[in-house]
Amino acid sequence: MVRPANDSPLEVNCPQCAKRVPWLPESTYRPFCSKRCQLIDLGAWADESHRISGESAMDEADIETLLAQADKDAPLT
């Protein structure tokens, strides 16, 4: 982010195409420059092209164990 030296609005780079975007309420898709860039980014997260690095908090075996335990628990009334 670039801090303005005067009264000009703060500008950020669009995360998708790097075009400069003023950080104003009128900038509907901020930090993206357009709906197109916003949807491209969303699609990348949806198909898991973008992901947060690190190990998964739980592996498949842990999830299966928790689901099996939940099935054994008495139903809530």
Side-chain angles (χ1 to χ4, degrees):
M1 274 195 275
V2 176
R3 287 221 161 254
N6 52 22
D7 290 336
S8 62
L10 176 70
E11 289 188 343
V12 296
N13 291 333
C14 173
Q16 191 62 38
C17 70
K19 180 180 175 184
R20 303 294 292 161
V21 179
W23 197 268
L24 298 170
E26 298 83 38
S27 301
T28 308
Y29 304 108
R30 70 179 180 215
F32 301 97
C33 66
S34 66
K35 181 76 171 176
R36 178 182 180 276
C37 281
Q38 185 184 51
L39 290 174
I40 290 170
D41 187 76
L42 178 62
W45 283 102
D47 75 8
E48 297 183 359
S49 296
H50 289 334
R51 44 179 101 183
I52 298 171
S53 63
E55 293 185 29
S56 178
M58 298 174 82
D59 65 11
E60 195 71 28
D62 293 335
I63 294 170
E64 292 298 325
T65 302
L66 287 173
L67 289 173
Q69 182 62 43
D71 288 341
K72 293 178 186 176
D73 290 341
L76 299 174
T77 57

